[in-house]
Every structure is written in C-alpha cells, then in structure tokens.
Amino acid sequence: MSDSPALLKPAELDPATAITRQICEQMDRCLLGRESLHRLVLTGLLSRGHILLEGLPGLGKTALVRTIGNILQLDFNRVQFTPDLMPSDVLGSHILQQTESGQREMIFEPGPVFTNILLADEINRASPKTQSAMLETMQEHSVTLRGQTRELPQPFFVIASQNPIEMEGTYPLPEAQLDRFLFRVMFDAVDAGVLQRIITERRQGDLPSPNWQASADDLNYLFTVMERIYLPKPVAGYIARLVAATHPNHAEAPESVKQYVQYGTSPRAAIAMGEAARANALLDGRPTVGFEDVAAVAKPVMNHRLILNYQARFDRVDASRVLTDLLEELNETGLELPADVSLQNA
Amino acid sequence: MSTIDPALQSFVRRVHAMMIYRSVLRWSALWLMIAGVVVLGIRFTSDLPGDWWKYLLASWTLLVAIAWYRESQRRPDPKQLRAAFDRQNHAGGLVMAAAEVDTRSWEARSGSLALPSVQWHSGSAWLGTILALVFFITALLVPVKYARLIADPPLEISQQVEDLHEQIDVLESEYILSPQQAENKREELDRIADQASGLNPSKTWEALDQLLHTNEQIAQQQAEDALSKLNALNEASLLGKALEMLPKGLEDQKAFEEGLKQLGQLMNQLNQDGALDPNNLPPELQKAMQQALKQLGQGEGPDAEQLKQLLEALENNQDQLLDLARQLAQKGLIPPNLTDQFQPGEQGGLDPGPLADLLKQHGGDFQELLEQLGPELGGRGDANRGPGHAPLSYGNESSEEGAEFQEQKLGLSVPLEQAKLAGVTITAPEVTGGEAILGQGALNTAQAGGGNALAAPVLPRHRTAVKRFFTRPGVNPPAVPE
C-alpha cells in the first residue's frame, strides 16, 4: 500500500468542496429552480468537458452560461450559429494589414472561440463545414489556421445548445462531434412555483449579480483536487462493463440494448464517465468514487452517444429508457449471488 | 489495519454462512425425499435396522459437510464482496479504496459501517423441505401392511393352492406319488404361493398351471394303466363267473378245464402286470388268491370255494381301480372321457350265463370267444366305442404376448388382363409356391349351369371301352359325350 497514490486528506478536500458548494449556491441564487442542472453543469466543467444543452428557447440556456462565466470569472463569448456562419467567423481569420514599416502582412484576428467559455447557440443550425471546424477546438483546445496552431485559453469549455423543434433547415450534429461533448443535458421547463418566483424576483428577466466569485486560484485548486479523486478498481470495472454492455452483442447487454441499440458507446464515453464520476464525488465531498457517482452521470454521458436502430424509433423508445434498463439490470459489483438471495441495508 | 476490515470480514462470513444454510436446506429436502424412498424400500422388503437413525444422522452430517465444502469452493470473490459492502453502506467507494490506498484518515469521518443483512427468500425451500419431511415421516410411520399392499398387491390363489394340495394328497394316498415326490410338490406349491404377487400374476398362474399339468399327466397315465388293468380284470372276472356257472357234468369237464387253464393264464398275466395287488385285499382273501394262483400255475383247477374267493379278490381289485378312478375324477385329474370309461356300463356287455354256454360250445376256449365276440364284450379300443364327441373344456386363456402371424409369401399372379375365369368356389384359394394355378382347379372341367364337378374327361384310349360298356346288350345307354 506504500506504493499506492496517497488519498486526499480531509483537510485537502474540504476547501475544494466548500468552493464547489459556493459555486452551486451562487448559481442557484441567480437561476431559480435549476439545482440539479447546475450541479450537472458544474460537474461537466470540473471534468473539463463540453456540454450540449438541449431545450426549447427561453429556458435560460444563455443565462446559465453567462452566470457560470460570471461566477468563475471566466471570459465568455456567445456565437449564434446560423446556416451562413463560416468557420472563420468562429475560429478567426487572417487579414492583410500594413505594418509600421510599411510592409503588408497577414495578421491573425482571433475569433470568438478564443475565450474560456464559448456558448454555441443553436449549433445544429450551422453548416457541417462550420460544425466540423469546432472539432479541433473541442478535442485539442487549439486552432490551426494556415499551418499555425494556436492554443486556446485555459480552461476552455464549449457549451452548445440546440433546439429540438424547428428542425427544418438544420444540420444534426454528426456522431463524431456529438461524441466530443461530455454531457448532453436536457433543459426541461420549470414548474409553476419557480415561474412565480421568476416573475416576482426577476423584473425584465435581469439576472442578479453573484455576491461571491471564484478566483482563478480557486478554479486551479479545484482542478488539482480533481486529479486526486480516487477511482477504485471495482468502480472502474463497473464503468468498463457499463460501456461494454451498451453494445448489443455483448454478453451482459440487457434485452433492451439488444433490441434497440445499433451501436454502443465509444471508449471516450468510459473516459468521460470516469472523469464525471470523479467530479460528482468532489461535489459530494468524497475522496473516492462510488457506484452512486457513476449512476449519477451515466445518463448524461451516454444518452447522446448511443445510436438506436429503427425499431427503437418505431417503438418510440429513446436512449434514456434504454439506459435506465441498463443501469437497473447491470450489477454494479459483479457479485453473482443466487437469484433468491439479496443484500439489504441493515 | 483498516477499521473497515473487521466489519467486512463479518459481512463475508455472513454471506458464506447464508450460502451454506441455503445449500443445506435445499439439499436436505432432496435428502429427505431420498431417505423416505429408501426407508419405504427397506420396510417393503425387510425390516429397518434398529440403529437406522444413526445412518440417517451420519448421511445428513455428510451432506452438511459437502455443502460446506462446495460453498467454500464457490465463495464469492472478496473484491466483489467488498464492493457490495461498500454499495450497501453507501460508502462512496471508501471501502473499495481501502483495499488499495490508505483510507484511515477518512474512516473516522465515515463512522461505523453497518453490516448488511443477507436475505434469502427461503419460502419455497422451506415448503419443499417440510413436504419432504412429511413424506419421510409418512414413510417411517405408514403401517407396513399398507405399504406392502402398495408395493406388492396380493394375488388370490388360495382356492387353487388348496385344490392342488388335495390333488397331491390323492396322488400320494393312491401311491401314484411317493411320499418324497409328494413332499417335493407340496414344497414347490408353497413356494409358488409365497411368491405370488399381484404385480406379476402371470408368473404365478403359469407356475400353478405347470404344476396342475404335471399332476394331470401323472394321474392320466395312472388312470390309463388302471383302465387297462380293469379291462383285464373284467375279462378274468367274466371268465371266472362263466366257469362258475358251467354245469359240472363229465361232458363239460374238458371245457371247464380248458377255461380254468385260460383263466390261469389270464391271472398269471394279471399278476405279472401288477393288476392283482394283494395289498388291496383282506388277509384271508390274499391267502386264498395266492393259493388259487399257485394251483392255476400248476394246472390244477381250484375248487368251487377257491373260485368264489378268487372272483371276490378280482372284484375287490376292480373296486379298488374304480375307486381310484373316481377319486382322480373328483379332483379333476383325469378328463371326463377317461372317467366315463370307468363307468359300470362300459364294462363288457355279456352276461356270464350265456358266456358259460358259449364256453361249453367252444370247449372252454375263451380267447377264441373273445376274438369272435370282441365288440360285444365291449373291448376297449374299438372304433364304435367311446363318446361321440369330447365335451369342450376351457382352461385359462393363453397369453397373446409375443404371438405373431407367420409370414407367408403369396404366389405371383398373372396380370389381370391375362386372367380368365376358371370357376367360382366358396373355399379359400390355395396358396401355392408361386405357380399360377389356372387350369388346375377342381372346377376346371365343370360346365356352368350343370354337370358334376368331378366328371373326368374320357381319354381317347378309353373311348372304345366306354362305348362298348354302354352299348352292351340290354342296356339303354345315355348319350356318350364325344
């Protein structure tokens, strides 16, 4: 055990947990009725992953991203994706300028992607050419133009949104790009009580300013602690089995997967799930990842990576239902007790 | 050492104990069923040993040991048990991490870990075990009488056995069977009766039939011998009575002496054949018969008193034989047609008086008379003797098991279009060795609508002779077929 990595001490973890708690509190204070969503978005950010928000217009997607940027004191840019949007409109372009010496040279003018948080609004309305221009930025956190690669500022997150209605004239994201999003989060409508509070407390929809902001050091500390959240081998094994079981020809695949899934998730999903589970443990103030952390992030991680077949479309079965079955049927521990024997909490 | 380990080890022991308990209970149900069957089997066939419970206890202990060993071999992976312990305690991976990293700084914060309970839905297993236990107790307590009734339903053959015993008694009392043979038969009969089972009645019936058949064969052989002796005795008795009635004049002395001579020959023959059994006679009659035989053997005629005693001895022997036949018939050991031959009506048809006259005419030659008057004397073996038809008697039905028809290859027939009508018959067609039978039937020469089917054609070489026969003088011949 002496060669094992040292587990975080409570004194090391507690400050990080306090920071995450304050971030969540500020987000909850600014955006009403979205506590679980805020937690999920913060989980994604701590995992350094990109998030795809899916919901109807006017539900507060932009406000969410703006609030996060404000609380974390990160640069924030918003790009409204349209069919005529060109890659250079996002990445930046070279323009011909005259220098002080009178010579002319191509000067790179950075695009809006050079920021910490990029809100790609209605990303599915951009052309595939523009969408694919985002691939390098999302995976490599860099932009290569005219043979020159430029690193993006760190941290860099893409929070994209897409509208599930008005699909005419849109370009659904290809699987390769969907796979680069850590989460796909459904943006549901809030209930009447929350709406009432919004009406009474948010005149003109103005967001209140956060009364606490995280510093860059806080954010770096969070990332440092994140690196030391311990993932036990049985949990890693469970993640691996979970991802493998999304493939219909796998031995542990449940019946719904065999019936409705055409292609399972990629290894990138397993990596994303491990990271997201670590972040979830950090938010809970634990130094180790448990099965419950995996269960908390499994659906947002995998629901956009699962490719269903036509039978699922006919039967109106979505990825969420398939994943629900998968999580219910796959035994986390791998402990094979007889069917009539079960463990109960004391 | 981590503070988690003791609780984890307790949990592992609890799971293992539950698995052993589960196996033992489920196997116990099976064990009770098997033990019940074994107990039933032993009780059906013999008696349970006095220390039977020791064997049961030992086998159950062995079963527990096997269950323990098997579950020890199948013990779940400790890592999986640790993971399950973590999950049940909502420890957030701390218990799992304790196996890989130092978690002591967090164990105080996590507090004491509770032992998860291992629950087994044992309702069906308990139900099965209780049912098996009830079966076992029932097998242990059910009265053997009923148990044996179930295992071996009785076969009611007491009447048959009693009849056979009576037959053997008769055969023994009539000296047909020696005491040793009779005892052997009784032992065999008792063995058949003991082994009689309703599960396999045919075996018992066949054995009884075999015994009955053997008895009948022996009795019938004896009855036929007795009948033969009886006939001889009848002849001798008839001759004796005729001699007794002969006039005692000088002219009849020759016939009388010749008759006595032949009577002596008959008596000697009877004596050699064993028809004259002195054991069947009173002592004074035995002595008289011995004396008469001695005189007859020396060619001397017995006096009237000796002849009378001799006839009495013959009648006594006849009665003994008739009594033997009657007893055998009563026990059903001889067939009715054989029994009828012993009836008095069947014993010769001549009155001694006329026979005496005949003897006188034939000079006392009784053998010549027999040859001439054989049928009238009612001698056995003639074609006009005996019942017209034997009564039908039915025994037990024979089994059809294994019976099959003998395969017989039918002969090839000519094609239908080449066939021609040979005649119409009500008898079954004859099966030949494959040859066509056209033109060889009995109706081959018959004409439709009349004529004798047996009319044979007149061959050319006979035609002249036939024509001459019908044209002989004084005969109006019918038309000769050309």
Side-chain angles (χ1 to χ4, degrees):
Chain A
M1 201 175 284
S2 58
D3 295 336
S4 303
L7 198 64
L8 280 168
K9 306 293 183 194
E12 296 172 316
L13 183 62
D14 288 346
T17 307
I19 294 170
T20 58
R21 192 172 297 120
Q22 283 198 330
I23 293 173
C24 286
E25 285 174 2
Q26 291 301 317
M27 291 173 70
D28 295 343
R29 196 178 74 83
C30 297
L31 297 168
L32 301 176
R34 299 285 186 190
E35 290 80 6
S36 59
L37 184 66
H38 296 159
R39 182 185 171 91
L40 205 53
V41 170
L42 184 57
T43 302
L45 295 183
L46 291 175
S47 307
R48 294 175 184 253
H50 309 295
I51 299 171
L52 178 61
L53 300 176
E54 192 168 305
L56 296 172
L59 290 177
K61 298 188 286 290
T62 308
L64 171 68
V65 178
R66 189 186 300 274
T67 302
I68 288 175
N70 199 359
I71 293 171
L72 299 180
Q73 298 190 66
L74 296 174
D75 288 338
F76 161 70
N77 281 332
R78 176 179 181 275
V79 178
Q80 184 69 39
F81 278 52
T82 56
D84 58 351
L85 187 74
M86 299 303 290
S88 59
D89 297 333
V90 179
L91 304 178
S93 60
H94 290 82
I95 58 175
L96 190 62
Q97 282 191 342
Q98 188 170 7
T99 62
E100 292 176 355
S101 61
Q103 293 181 333
R104 293 173 182 170
E105 61 180 5
M106 298 297 287
I107 303 296
F108 178 70
E109 186 65 26
V113 76
F114 285 86
T115 184
N116 293 117
I117 300 177
L118 174 69
L119 173 59
D121 214 358
E122 297 195 82
I123 191 173
N124 58 333
R125 294 200 178 277
S127 64
K129 182 179 181 180
T130 307
Q131 289 175 357
S132 60
M134 299 287 292
L135 290 176
E136 185 188 2
T137 63
M138 294 173 70
Q139 184 66 30
E140 310 294 339
H141 291 192
S142 62
V143 172
T144 301
L145 286 172
R146 293 172 60 89
Q148 186 178 359
T149 300
R150 294 175 176 82
E151 296 294 328
L152 295 176
Q154 291 300 318
F156 174 73
F157 307 106
V158 173
I159 299 179
S161 71
Q162 61 180 5
N163 191 342
I165 61 172
E166 298 175 358
M167 298 297 288
E168 192 174 353
T170 62
Y171 302 92
L173 293 175
E175 279 74 18
Q177 191 162 5
L178 277 175
D179 200 28
R180 280 164 173 76
F181 285 101
L182 178 79
F183 287 163
R184 184 178 71 160
V185 180
M186 301 299 173
F187 230 87
D188 295 328
V190 293
D191 57 25
V194 174
L195 279 177
Q196 185 180 355
R197 285 182 63 195
I198 292 172
I199 294 167
T200 54
E201 298 176 14
R202 303 284 189 270
R203 297 294 300 276
Q204 303 295 326
D206 293 337
L207 293 174
S209 298
N211 52 18
W212 177 89
Q213 288 180 305
S215 65
D217 290 340
D218 291 340
L219 203 54
N220 287 333
Y221 186 67
L222 286 179
F223 288 137
T224 304
V225 169
M226 261 289 292
E227 295 299 319
R228 294 180 59 193
I229 297 291
Y230 189 76
L231 180 68
K233 288 178 183 174
V235 180
Y238 174 53
I239 293 172
R241 288 170 50 230
L242 200 59
V243 170
T246 60
H247 294 268
N249 55 354
H250 192 265
E252 285 191 295
E255 191 56 37
S256 58
V257 169
K258 291 177 180 172
Q259 189 174 1
Y260 296 123
V261 176
Q262 187 170 11
Y263 296 107
T265 56
S266 64
R268 189 179 279 139
I271 297 168
M273 206 179 314
E275 290 302 313
R278 279 191 172 96
N280 195 70
L282 172 59
L283 291 178
D284 279 349
R286 284 184 280 107
T288 55
V289 179
F291 294 119
E292 54 269 43
D293 297 317
V294 178
V297 300
K299 277 189 180 179
V301 167
M302 292 196 291
N303 65 2
H304 57 293
R305 291 180 162 98
L306 217 54
I307 300 174
L308 304 182
N309 57 20
Y310 284 106
Q311 184 66 39
R313 194 177 297 176
F314 293 151
D315 294 347
R316 298 180 182 276
V317 172
D318 57 7
S320 177
R321 182 181 147 188
V322 174
L323 289 172
T324 301
D325 292 344
L326 176 62
L327 290 170
E328 284 179 357
E329 295 188 24
L330 193 68
N331 182 8
E332 296 102 319
T333 62
L335 179 64
E336 293 182 354
L337 293 174
D340 52 356
V341 176
S342 62
L343 301 176
Q344 302 291 331
N345 293 329
Chain B
M1 182 181 175
S2 170
T3 58
I4 295 172
D5 290 344
L8 180 62
Q9 288 171 1
S10 298
F11 173 66
V12 171
R13 282 195 297 270
R14 182 177 286 188
V15 171
H16 189 215
M18 174 58 77
M19 298 306 291
I20 293 174
Y21 162 61
R22 175 176 175 272
S23 289
V24 167
L25 189 61
R26 294 175 66 182
W27 291 9
S28 292
L30 184 63
W31 174 82
L32 282 170
M33 290 293 292
I34 294 172
V37 171
V38 170
V39 166
L40 268 183
I42 293 174
R43 295 189 70 208
F44 283 6
T45 54
S46 60
D47 294 328
L48 278 177
D51 52 353
W52 58 270
W53 58 273
K54 289 181 183 175
Y55 295 106
L56 288 178
L57 194 60
S59 60
W60 190 79
T61 307
L62 182 64
L63 178 139
V64 173
I66 293 173
W68 176 84
Y69 176 76
R70 184 169 176 267
E71 291 303 331
S72 298
Q73 296 296 314
R74 299 171 53 191
R75 188 178 290 200
D77 185 357
K79 292 177 183 174
Q80 294 176 342
L81 284 171
R82 179 182 283 271
F85 186 66
D86 184 294
R87 188 191 61 180
Q88 294 303 124
N89 274 286
H90 302 289
L94 193 64
V95 175
M96 290 182 279
E100 303 166 14
V101 293
D102 185 3
T103 58
R104 280 174 292 184
S105 59
W106 288 94
E107 288 169 10
R109 181 179 287 194
S110 62
S112 61
L113 296 169
L115 271 180
S117 63
V118 186
Q119 292 192 345
W120 173 37
H121 305 291
S122 58
S124 57
W126 270 112
L127 180 63
T129 305
I130 290 171
L131 289 177
L133 183 63
V134 169
F135 170 70
F136 175 75
I137 293 172
T138 306
L140 205 58
L141 300 180
V142 66
V144 179
K145 180 176 66 177
Y146 297 131
R148 288 186 177 160
L149 275 179
I150 296 169
D152 190 7
L155 182 65
E156 180 52 47
I157 55 168
S158 57
Q159 185 60 47
Q160 287 80 359
V161 170
E162 187 181 348
D163 292 346
L164 283 168
H165 267 300
E166 289 177 357
Q167 288 180 357
I168 294 170
D169 291 343
V170 167
L171 292 174
E172 186 184 17
S173 64
E174 295 298 333
Y175 304 104
I176 298 172
L177 290 178
S178 68
Q180 182 60 39
Q181 288 175 324
E183 191 58 32
N184 290 341
K185 282 189 174 292
R186 286 192 190 96
E187 287 177 2
E188 185 181 356
L189 183 58
D190 292 340
R191 184 180 57 79
I192 293 170
D194 288 342
Q195 295 179 353
S197 168
L199 291 179
N200 189 10
S202 59
K203 180 182 174 185
T204 305
W205 289 121
E206 285 176 7
L208 290 175
D209 285 347
Q210 176 64 25
L211 198 57
L212 176 64
H213 181 64
T214 309
N215 289 347
E216 286 176 348
Q217 274 189 326
I218 295 171
Q220 191 166 346
Q221 179 67 36
Q222 194 67 22
E224 286 172 355
D225 289 347
L227 187 60
S228 174
K229 292 172 184 175
L230 183 62
N231 288 336
L233 287 172
N234 282 341
E235 290 172 2
S237 177
L238 189 64
L239 178 57
K241 287 177 183 175
L243 289 175
E244 198 176 27
M245 296 176 69
L246 272 177
K248 301 299 185 283
L250 286 177
E251 64 276 17
D252 303 323
Q253 188 60 32
K254 186 181 178 183
F256 181 73
E257 288 175 355
E258 181 62 26
L260 278 180
K261 184 181 175 184
Q262 294 198 6
L263 178 61
Q265 291 172 353
L266 276 175
M267 294 296 286
N268 283 327
Q269 186 65 37
L270 285 171
N271 195 25
Q272 287 173 7
D273 294 343
L276 296 176
D277 189 358
N279 295 324
N280 296 333
L281 302 176
E284 65 278 6
L285 209 54
Q286 284 184 26
K287 189 176 178 182
M289 191 184 74
Q290 295 296 340
Q291 182 65 29
L293 286 174
K294 187 177 177 182
Q295 288 183 359
L296 286 171
Q298 293 171 355
E300 298 176 8
D303 55 18
E305 183 59 28
Q306 284 178 330
L307 187 59
K308 186 178 179 183
Q309 288 178 343
L310 190 59
L311 288 174
E312 190 177 350
L314 289 174
E315 285 180 2
N316 212 329
N317 273 298
Q318 285 174 309
D319 292 342
Q320 291 291 337
L321 292 174
L322 288 173
D323 185 57
L324 167 66
R326 188 165 51 253
Q327 291 202 45
L328 295 179
Q330 279 180 355
K331 299 303 174 188
L333 285 166
I334 55 176
N337 57 346
L338 190 57
T339 308
D340 293 344
Q341 294 176 38
F342 283 93
Q343 297 303 317
E346 297 289 333
Q347 299 178 27
L350 279 183
D351 190 3
L355 183 61
D357 295 338
L358 288 171
L359 277 176
K360 185 179 174 183
Q361 294 173 13
H362 285 78
D365 192 351
F366 184 62
Q367 292 302 327
E368 185 183 340
L369 276 176
L370 283 181
E371 289 172 5
Q372 292 182 6
L373 303 173
E376 295 181 23
L377 285 169
R380 290 4 181 201
D382 210 346
N384 60 355
R385 181 194 58 82
H389 53 82
L392 293 176
S393 60
Y394 297 94
N396 296 319
E397 289 186 0
S398 59
S399 171
E400 294 183 356
E401 187 178 358
E404 59 180 7
F405 290 104
Q406 183 180 4
E407 291 184 1
Q408 194 171 19
K409 184 179 178 182
L410 297 176
L412 295 174
S413 179
V414 296
L416 188 61
E417 56 272 14
Q418 299 177 13
K420 62 180 182 180
L421 178 65
V424 179
T425 175
I426 60 170
T427 60
E430 182 185 2
V431 178
T432 64
E435 302 168 356
I437 58 170
L438 289 175
Q440 299 177 4
L443 299 177
N444 190 31
T445 57
Q447 293 181 355
N452 189 349
L454 294 176
V458 178
L459 297 176
R461 62 178 177 271
H462 299 147
R463 194 176 295 263
T464 306
V466 172
K467 195 171 182 178
R468 193 165 53 242
F469 172 76
F470 284 105
T471 56
R472 69 184 188 272
V475 175
N476 186 17
V480 178
E482 290 296 327

